[in-house]
Amino acid sequence: MKLQVITQKRLQKTMLLFFLFFALSIVKAQQSIWKIDPSHSKINFGISYFKIGEIKGNFDKYEGAFISDNENFENTSVNISIETASINTNQKARDKHLKTKDFFDAETHPKITFESTSMSKVLEKEYKLKGNFTMTGITKPIELKAIYKGSFLHPRYKKKVAIFKINGTIFRKDFKVGTNYPPAKLALGNNVVLDAEIHLTKQ
């Protein structure tokens, strides 16, 4: 009798594990992976220069993906990895200096990353994107605004493409960018305005 009870319990446990595995498999199968297309995307930034001017730039090399439960992009996780040395402000001497220890220290910290913790819809096509931003080896939580511009089926590649505009403000002093370079205190503002257009291709 005891053996029968044990056998039944083992069977119940096995069935429970099977159904849990099956349910997780369905959820995983329903997830959509949208990879960033760097050939069409842009990650731009701007920072004030002596309070009346502005230095604008972008990063040329990056990768990442949006992993979503549905095409409404609710319950979406976002990860982006940027090559620090790909910074481009359209002035070679300045870019070379920005890669040094005075600013980004690209050799020691070759990657700038963002990993989302939540993406919640606030309007029909507007989302609040929260996550951990890492730059110069320092990680801080940030909040960005993501606006869904829409999607289309690419006529040549037959893949679905979605486009987001993402913007927000990053405080360079939080990440010690330029804080050890005295001229930056006078010349540069603290607020770095991020303005990105992200093209995603559904896998």
Side-chain angles (χ1 to χ4, degrees), residues 129 143-147 165-169 193-197:
L129 181 57
E143 183 177 307
L144 303 169
K145 180 169 73 173
I147 298 174
K165 288 281 289 183
I166 298 176
N167 52 61
T169 301
V193 178
L194 174 70
D195 180 21
E197 182 174 289

Side-chain angles (χ1 to χ4, degrees), residues 135 142 169-177 190-192:
M135 185 164 63
I142 65 169
T169 301
I170 296 167
F171 305 107
R172 68 174 179 87
K173 291 180 182 178
D174 285 353
F175 301 93
K176 297 184 179 180
V177 176
N190 185 36
N191 297 357
V192 179

Side-chain angles (χ1 to χ4, degrees), residues 22-169:
F22 182 70
L24 288 171
S25 297
I26 291 174
V27 170
K28 188 174 181 181
Q30 290 176 340
Q31 286 186 329
S32 299
I33 299 174
W34 300 74
K35 285 191 176 181
I36 294 175
D37 177 4
S39 63
H40 291 92
S41 302
K42 297 176 182 177
I43 299 181
N44 301 321
F45 63 86
I47 186 170
S48 65
Y49 184 61
F50 285 101
K51 297 183 179 180
I52 57 173
E54 185 180 21
I55 295 174
K56 293 185 177 182
N58 61 273
F59 290 92
D60 292 328
K61 296 180 180 180
Y62 44 87
E63 61 183 6
F66 285 42
I67 302 175
S68 179
D69 289 345
N70 53 58
E71 292 195 9
N72 291 323
F73 292 97
E74 293 178 296
N75 301 319
T76 296
S77 62
V78 178
N79 65 81
I80 300 173
S81 178
I82 301 168
E83 289 189 24
T84 310
S86 72
I87 191 167
N88 181 358
T89 63
N90 203 32
Q91 189 180 106
K92 289 184 178 180
R94 179 167 59 206
D95 293 341
K96 185 178 180 180
H97 190 194
L98 288 172
K99 296 172 192 177
T100 69
K101 292 181 179 179
D102 286 342
F103 292 95
F104 291 96
D105 194 5
E107 186 174 349
T108 306
H109 308 291
K111 300 289 184 181
I112 297 169
T113 62
F114 174 81
E115 293 185 3
S116 68
T117 53
S118 68
M119 184 170 174
S120 56
K121 183 180 283 190
V122 293
L123 292 172
E124 184 181 354
K125 292 190 175 182
E126 183 179 322
Y127 298 80
K128 184 185 293 183
L129 181 57
K130 294 182 178 181
N132 294 315
F133 184 78
T134 301
M135 185 164 63
T136 64
I138 299 170
T139 301
K140 298 278 186 180
I142 65 169
E143 183 177 307
L144 303 169
K145 180 169 73 173
I147 298 174
Y148 178 51
K149 303 295 288 183
S151 63
F152 62 90
L153 183 67
H154 197 288
R156 181 179 177 184
Y157 300 110
K158 307 301 179 184
K159 287 190 175 183
K160 200 160 190 180
V161 176
I163 299 175
F164 275 89
K165 288 281 289 183
I166 298 176
N167 52 61
T169 301

